[in-house]
Amino acid sequence: MTLFSHTAKLLKPGNEPSNDVEQSVSQALLDLEANSDLSSALRGLYFVGAEECVIRDDKVAVVIHIPFPQQKIYHKIQGRLVRELEKKLSGKHVIFLAKRRILSKPTRHSRNLSKQKRPRSRTLTAVHESILDDLVFPAEIAGKRKRVKLDGSQQIKVHLEKAAQINTETKLDTFMAVYKKLTGKDVVFEYVD
């Protein structure tokens, strides 16, 4: 049996060093690949980054960034993989997000060397909506409402399907904190029938 380094599941661009969170996630994924029923599904999968997000004083979530082309494969095993990783990472909530790129809005003076129109999936709005979909993945978003208060601040109300309440009810504060950290937008989750 060959020994893997603790960063075998981590593929970062360039020669960037990995942090402690990325090393622990990589080690946990290697352990799962070696000794679990997920081993065949995890073979060939990797992630491109991980970070911790503080929810409250006593709660921390781990956000794992995965390559966008592998997102469908991760979705097939995400339920079991999240449960196993939460056990290995001592009860921290685990969230998988696809790594997406936001391209700036082209202006007359911007240097757009490719001369191509910006794809709709690379706009700020589309990326933020996709992050929201990834956050609540096993659950489906039934609707959204944007509320603008008198002081100009905005709050997004996201309606989730009632069927997913059992799996996601304990993670709603995690979803809110992670979305706020990544996008800077306030979001509130509710369940609808």
Side-chain angles (χ1 to χ4, degrees):
M1 182 171 159
T2 59
L3 293 175
F4 294 104
S5 72
H6 60 279
T7 58
K9 286 289 187 185
L10 175 63
L11 191 68
K12 289 184 97 169
N15 290 329
E16 295 179 32
S18 59
N19 59 29
D20 295 338
V21 179
E22 292 168 342
Q23 290 175 4
S24 63
V25 169
S26 181
Q27 188 61 48
L29 285 172
L30 281 173
D31 292 345
L32 286 174
E33 186 177 342
N35 332 321
S36 77
D37 58 336
L38 293 171
S39 61
S40 62
L42 283 174
R43 195 162 291 121
L45 295 181
Y46 58 91
F47 67 102
V48 294
E51 59 184 317
E52 282 189 342
C53 181
V54 177
I55 311 307
R56 293 186 306 262
D57 295 335
D58 59 337
K59 198 70 182 160
V60 175
V62 177
V63 179
I64 301 171
H65 297 283
I66 58 175
F68 180 75
Q70 291 186 350
Q71 184 182 25
K72 284 195 170 115
I73 302 167
Y74 270 103
H75 279 325
K76 289 178 185 172
I77 60 170
Q78 187 165 339
R80 289 182 294 159
L81 186 59
V82 164
R83 279 193 298 276
E84 294 295 326
L85 281 176
E86 284 177 351
K87 287 180 203 169
K88 292 225 179 254
L89 298 174
S90 65
K92 297 176 183 174
H93 285 164
V94 175
I95 295 172
F96 285 96
L97 292 178
K99 191 75 171 170
R100 292 184 170 84
R101 172 167 290 147
I102 299 172
L103 295 178
S104 61
K105 191 172 184 178
T107 61
R108 283 192 302 177
H109 303 294
S110 64
R111 294 181 42 92
N112 187 2
L113 299 176
S114 64
K115 300 293 183 201
Q116 287 182 336
K117 191 172 180 347
R118 175 176 65 157
R120 194 69 74 192
S121 63
R122 307 288 195 289
T123 62
L124 180 88
T125 306
V127 170
H128 285 187
E129 301 245 337
S130 301
I131 288 173
L132 196 57
D133 289 337
D134 288 353
L135 268 179
V136 299
F137 166 65
E140 291 286 324
I141 295 176
K144 292 181 200 151
R145 304 281 183 270
K146 188 180 280 190
R147 181 176 179 203
V148 181
K149 298 179 182 172
L150 288 173
D151 62 352
S153 63
Q154 296 181 353
Q155 184 180 42
I156 303 169
K157 282 189 177 183
V158 176
H159 303 288
L160 301 175
E161 289 185 357
K162 194 84 166 170
Q165 185 171 1
I166 300 163
N167 296 335
T168 58
E169 194 168 26
T170 58
K171 294 185 175 185
L172 291 183
D173 54 346
T174 302
F175 295 158
M176 286 188 269
V178 170
Y179 192 73
K180 175 75 172 174
K181 182 181 180 193
L182 293 175
T183 64
K185 295 178 180 176
D186 291 320
V187 66
V188 174
F189 294 95
E190 297 174 350
Y191 292 101
V192 293
D193 293 329

